[in-house]
Amino acid sequence: IASASDDGSVQVWDPTTGATALTYKDHHAPVWAVAWSPDGKRIASGTGEAGAQGPNYVNNGVRVWDATTGQTLVTFTAHAKNQVYALAWSPDGSQIVSSGDDGTSYVWDAATGHITLMYHTTFFWSDDWSPKTNLIASASNDGTVQLWRPALGS
């Protein structure tokens, strides 16, 4: 089990004992979203602090890290000026969708951090990737759920 915290950390918990197995502290702003990779080996965590300046400013965004060691594998900073509220892995673990309070969603390569698609609409609270249809469902603050195909951006 992984949990996000406003102190900038992510805790990984042992579900059988309730003990903390790992604490990840590379974020320097509140962590708003956490998502396990489908194989359970990596965790993506999204952070951001509205109006962050100075050294914290570049730490807004998403990090992919090893769930066993806590080592940062990839940093994705396209959301650098905004808070990241939603994350979801593609069913094969090769891509991640991340959405922020600027109304932008990015689909990006989980190994390299390179953007494969940018989708812009409204402030998203939640993303999920369908395991069978290659659709992404995004819930926004306008009360709607939008379905979109990452291959097409619509």
Side-chain angles (χ1 to χ4, degrees):
I1 299 170
S3 62
S5 176
D6 65 357
D7 70 0
S9 70
V10 177
Q11 301 274 354
V12 177
W13 306 86
D14 181 323
T16 57
T17 66
T20 303
L22 178 71
T23 302
Y24 179 81
K25 295 184 176 183
D26 279 1
H27 290 295
H28 300 284
V31 179
W32 302 107
V34 177
W36 284 90
S37 64
D39 64 6
K41 295 180 180 179
R42 296 166 292 165
I43 297 175
S45 49
T47 188
E49 186 166 13
Q53 300 294 321
N56 290 346
Y57 192 67
V58 296
N59 290 305
N60 288 359
V62 179
R63 291 176 185 260
V64 175
W65 45 282
D66 185 293
T68 303
T69 66
Q71 177 186 0
T72 298
L73 303 173
V74 177
T75 302
F76 181 72
T77 59
H79 292 287
K81 296 180 183 179
N82 302 287
Q83 299 177 80
V84 176
Y85 284 115
L87 292 169
W89 290 79
S90 64
D92 66 2
S94 68
Q95 295 179 303
I96 297 172
V97 58
S98 59
S99 298
D101 62 355
D102 64 344
T104 303
S105 290
Y106 294 97
V107 176
W108 48 282
D109 185 293
T112 66
H114 292 121
I115 297 170
T116 59
L117 176 72
M118 183 180 86
Y119 182 70
H120 193 79
T121 182
T122 187
F123 183 131
F124 287 125
W125 284 106
S126 179
D127 287 327
D128 203 2
W129 208 307
S130 168
K132 296 184 181 187
T133 62
N134 200 31
L135 288 174
I136 295 172
S138 297
S140 86
N141 72 338
D142 66 3
T144 64
V145 174
Q146 296 181 34
L147 296 175
W148 51 288
R149 293 185 193 283
L152 305 173
S154 60

